[in-house]
Amino acid sequence: MKQARRVLATDFGIWLALKDIHRLSDAMLSSSAQWASLANYLLLYDQIVIPTGNLQVLPVLRHMLGDAVFEELVRSKVIVFARYDQWFCFAGGGAGLSFFQIHPGESRQDRGLNLGMGHFLPLEQAIDVALDSTTPSVDSTRKRALAQLLADHIVQVPMPVSDLDKLADETIKDVIESPYLREMLSLKATHPNKVGNLPGNKLAIFNPHVAPEPGDSREVRSVLRVAFENFLIYLGGVTDATEITGDDATLTILRAKGQRYGAPIEGSRAFAHIQKISGVPDVGAAFAGKVFTPEKLLALRDSTHGAAFRKWFAAGSPGEDADSIVERFVEEIGQPGVIDRGPAKALRFAITAGWGALEPISGTVASAVDNFLLSRWWPTRSPRLFLKQAKVAMARPPLVNSVPKGRDRNAPCYCGSGKKYKHCHGGT
């Protein structure tokens, strides 16, 4: 049986920072790219694993998805938080790379715990701090229920000293044995622990989304970057992730090590291209533009055809690049009768659940798709009917209480047709 795809979404990790930590989640929440990535991950992957220390990503996801959809995705283990409680630093005086954990003392506790300390707090305390210090705010009853849900579904990442020592050794080995990395990182020292000439009373930490301070050693930051991406590989291993995805700020070195480890980040790119050549409006862009609601996104994911598309997507090799995934799609839909199954059927559902007019199919790669759809689909699936339905779906507000959660197929369909979900988009 083919392994389900589980993505370690490092671009939703909010890493340890020493100041202005609120800016990290604010920037994520205001980024259209983050909204689009979340939508694509939900449609493409069976499970989304989000690494976190202080749970600062909670308000981001709650704002993006709304509490009802967010809690359903956590409860059903579609979204899983993998929590670590240690971080790494580079200490001066030749001490070099090491991991650390901060335990709040009595004086710190007297002043009250904060989100910055959340990376190192026991899980229950970290959840309380995250819910108390972020929005949307909740009353005491809702807070207890949400806190219990999170406590029951957050995975604690095992971080034994032996593993952390191996991680530090791996980073040193990478830098020493890779002339490419040394050149790319402009490392001149003969040993990574001796770079930067930091005095013994100084240490540096790393966050890929925080700009270096004036006077920071570029060499030290480079070694910390390699350590950070080895840390991501470690998280991917202990969470059994089949893919690691992220942005340019989090995966620079991982790409350089791709031949050794394999860390495809091509799924979303392929999905965007498949939608384009098939004439399907971009789901991620529509979600980012607040046109496609979280309720509709969940309904699309939970549908029979959404599940079929994920199954097809997972059938390929985890090492596929975007071009290979698109080629596999074009080959598959060229088979007779495939319109009634597999990815083409899922995309048909995506179109009929759409929100705007079809874009013209264009490009040389699209020719097979174009001929296939025009000859086999449109004779029985009039674009006029789709446009009429899309117009209805756009004009009517979402039915908040009608979200099918894999159980309530008798609820009214989210598209506003008035039919039961099982007789509408839940069954076609």
Side-chain angles (χ1 to χ4, degrees):
M1 181 179 293
K2 194 69 177 180
Q3 182 181 10
R5 276 189 165 169
R6 178 182 294 110
V7 58
L8 182 71
T10 68
D11 46 341
F12 279 87
I14 300 180
W15 316 101
L16 179 66
L18 297 180
K19 62 180 182 179
D20 297 329
I21 60 175
H22 64 282
R23 293 184 179 179
L24 303 178
S25 50
D26 289 348
M28 183 179 290
L29 192 56
S30 64
S31 169
S32 296
Q34 292 283 166
W35 287 71
S37 291
L38 178 60
N40 288 336
Y41 293 164
L42 287 171
L43 294 177
L44 289 177
Y45 296 98
D46 299 292
Q47 197 169 65
I48 304 164
V49 180
I50 298 177
T52 182
N54 65 349
L55 307 177
Q56 190 179 348
V57 71
L58 290 182
V60 175
L61 296 175
R62 291 175 64 203
H63 277 288
M64 286 182 171
L65 297 167
D67 272 352
V69 172
F70 168 76
E71 290 175 25
E72 174 62 21
L73 291 171
V74 173
R75 186 176 296 107
S76 58
K77 298 182 180 180
V78 174
I79 291 179
V80 174
F81 298 101
R83 184 171 184 262
Y84 54 86
D85 61 3
Q86 298 197 50
W87 199 237
F88 54 92
C89 66
F90 191 95
L97 192 65
S98 62
F99 283 79
F100 67 91
Q101 186 178 43
I102 299 174
H103 296 282
E106 292 183 4
S107 60
R108 191 62 175 267
Q109 287 178 327
D110 290 342
R111 295 200 302 268
L113 300 173
N114 56 54
L115 196 60
M117 284 296 301
H119 293 273
F120 311 108
L121 295 172
L123 177 59
E124 291 76 11
Q125 283 184 293
I127 292 173
D128 284 341
V129 169
L131 294 179
D132 285 341
S133 57
T134 61
T135 61
S137 59
V138 291
D139 60 33
S140 58
T141 301
R142 287 282 298 113
K143 180 191 171 185
R144 284 195 298 272
L146 183 55
Q148 188 61 57
L149 173 68
L150 293 169
D152 290 342
H153 289 83
I154 291 176
V155 175
Q156 288 284 121
V157 176
M159 303 192 76
V161 173
S162 58
D163 283 355
L164 301 182
D165 288 342
K166 289 178 182 177
L167 272 175
D169 291 341
E170 175 75 4
T171 297
I172 294 172
K173 183 178 179 181
D174 281 338
V175 176
I176 290 176
E177 297 184 0
S178 173
Y180 172 76
L181 280 177
R182 291 180 61 82
E183 180 178 354
M184 186 173 72
L185 300 172
S186 301
L187 292 176
K188 298 181 177 62
T190 57
H191 193 283
N193 281 351
K194 297 179 180 179
V195 303
N197 297 319
L198 287 183
N201 62 343
K202 297 290 185 180
L203 59 85
I205 66 169
F206 179 79
N207 183 306
H209 300 292
V210 175
E213 296 285 342
D216 280 358
S217 167
R218 180 178 178 182
E219 285 192 326
V220 168
R221 185 172 176 86
S222 296
V223 172
L224 287 172
R225 173 170 282 284
V226 179
F228 170 71
E229 302 208 20
N230 278 328
F231 181 65
L232 299 185
I233 294 171
Y234 176 75
L235 293 179
V238 297
T239 58
D240 199 26
T242 57
E243 295 186 49
I244 299 176
T245 68
D247 53 25
D248 290 337
T250 54
L251 295 183
T252 303
I253 309 301
L254 204 57
R255 287 175 179 148
K257 296 177 65 171
Q259 290 183 338
R260 181 177 175 189
Y261 288 99
I265 55 175
E266 302 291 297
S268 292
R269 297 174 188 171
F271 186 44
H273 195 58
I274 287 172
Q275 290 175 98
K276 182 177 180 180
I277 66 176
S278 302
V280 179
D282 191 310
V283 176
F287 182 65
K290 317 300 189 296
V291 177
F292 204 64
T293 66
E295 291 77 18
K296 288 186 178 182
L297 184 63
L298 178 60
L300 181 55
R301 176 191 165 81
D302 283 350
S303 70
T304 302
H305 304 309
F309 189 87
R310 285 194 302 281
K311 183 177 180 181
W312 171 84
F313 183 72
S317 166
E320 282 183 310
D321 61 16
D323 291 340
S324 298
I325 296 172
V326 173
E327 288 175 7
R328 181 162 60 92
F329 173 79
V330 172
E331 290 175 0
E332 172 125 354
I333 67 169
Q335 300 172 16
V338 78
I339 195 66
D340 293 322
R341 60 181 174 82
K345 188 174 183 180
L347 282 175
R348 182 181 72 191
F349 174 78
I351 290 180
T352 57
W355 53 89
L358 291 175
E359 296 179 358
I361 300 174
S362 61
T364 55
V365 180
S367 58
V369 182
D370 182 38
N371 293 334
F372 178 75
L373 291 180
L374 291 178
S375 63
R376 299 180 184 273
W377 183 1
W378 295 134
T380 58
R381 296 280 174 177
S382 169
R384 292 184 179 180
L385 294 178
F386 157 68
L387 293 174
K388 180 179 178 181
Q389 183 171 359
K391 184 177 180 180
V392 170
M394 282 289 291
R396 296 185 181 181
L399 302 175
V400 176
N401 295 325
S402 67
V403 182
K405 300 179 180 178
R407 295 181 290 272
D408 188 7
R409 293 173 53 78
N410 290 311
C413 187
Y414 68 84
C415 73
S417 66
K419 298 179 182 179
K420 291 183 178 181
Y421 176 73
K422 65 181 180 182
H423 295 314
C424 195
H425 287 106
T428 59

